Amino acid sequence: MPPITVLLVDDEPLVRAGLRAVLEAQPDLEVAGEAADGAAVIPLVRQLRPDVVAMDVRMPLLDGIEATRAVLRTVPDPPKILVVTTFENDEYVYEALRAGADGFLLKRARPAEIVHAVRLVAEGESLLFPASVRQLAAEYGDGGGNPAARAALERAQLTEREAQVLRLMTRGLSNAEIAGRLVVGTETVKSHVSAVLAKLGARDRTQAVIAAYESGFVSPG
């Protein structure tokens, strides 16, 4: 099985060096390249085709939020985006998730946590740090008062089972864990998750969970 390739984007060389050392110590992870600003992300993504972009949320020319939007808007079959941040409870992080980032990672995280985050985001079957995402949604979200998100959820017309699956997704459960809760097969859960994402127009679980909070479908509190 080929390694998971990662593009590192941070204006601090020491941060990039530290992440590279941690990731390249793992046989299944490989650093494809580096950039010092979000403005360099799109050409590098097109050239290197990484599986994951680990991107600083605050950079001088183009920050991680705008770089995330640009990648998702202009790159076909875009990579997963993992926002790297100094502060967990940061409005910038929530805005990056809203923009389409798949998760976030603290710069002070231990090596094992960094490796786990990259693997989990690459696999896309679970929500990274669900409690933290819930806390961010509670503090910086619209509290279910986003009209566009409510309208999108109404148009989605989720079935009762799909609604159950979405609720369990907001709690960070994997496909196997959801299957255990609902007493169904994992493949059945995968089909329900795919249907939920398609109906909500969400590219991944993180975006579906953000939509669930923004629409008031579930309360982050």
Side-chain angles (χ1 to χ4, degrees):
M1 191 171 181
I4 297 167
T5 56
V6 185
L7 173 64
L8 304 177
V9 186
D10 197 294
D11 61 333
E12 297 181 36
L14 283 176
V15 172
R16 298 199 307 272
L19 288 172
R20 177 182 281 275
V22 168
L23 298 176
E24 293 199 330
Q26 303 298 315
D28 62 327
L29 302 178
E30 177 183 304
V31 175
E34 297 184 18
D37 194 84
V41 170
I42 289 178
L44 282 174
V45 165
R46 287 176 171 159
Q47 174 190 348
L48 302 171
R49 302 303 302 173
D51 299 305
V52 177
V53 177
M55 181 148 53
D56 189 10
V57 74
R58 297 174 187 260
M59 292 177 285
L61 296 179
L62 190 68
D63 65 31
I65 299 170
E66 290 305 318
T68 294
R69 290 193 180 111
V71 169
L72 299 182
R73 186 175 62 247
T74 64
V75 178
D77 191 20
K80 301 291 186 180
I81 297 178
L82 183 61
V83 171
V84 182
T85 179
T86 303
F87 305 105
E88 180 176 6
N89 191 16
D90 187 342
E91 186 174 5
Y92 275 75
V93 174
Y94 190 66
E95 287 304 315
L97 295 177
R98 268 178 162 169
D102 303 278
F104 67 92
L105 175 68
L106 294 176
K107 291 186 178 182
R108 66 175 182 271
R110 297 189 298 272
E113 293 172 329
I114 294 169
V115 169
H116 173 69
V118 170
R119 287 174 177 155
L120 194 62
V121 165
E123 293 165 0
E125 286 201 359
S126 297
L127 183 68
L128 185 61
F129 306 137
S132 296
V133 174
R134 183 166 60 247
Q135 182 180 353
L136 286 166
E139 185 151 356
Y140 300 114
D142 294 317
N146 186 316
R150 283 204 309 271
L153 187 71
E154 290 171 3
R155 288 195 304 271
Q157 296 185 320
L158 299 180
T159 66
E160 183 178 347
R161 180 63 91 188
E162 289 164 355
Q164 287 178 309
V165 168
L166 179 56
R167 288 191 183 94
L168 294 174
M169 286 165 61
T170 66
R171 296 168 61 182
L173 273 64
S174 67
N175 288 346
E177 290 168 331
I178 294 173
R181 292 291 181 92
L182 300 180
V183 197
V184 297
T186 304
E187 291 302 317
T188 300
V189 172
K190 287 182 179 179
S191 296
H192 287 316
V193 170
S194 296
V196 169
L197 299 186
K199 287 183 176 183
L200 292 178
R203 86 181 191 109
D204 57 29
R205 298 168 90 99
T206 301
Q207 302 314 304
V209 168
I210 294 294
Y213 289 139
E214 297 273 306
S215 65
F217 176 75
V218 291
S219 169

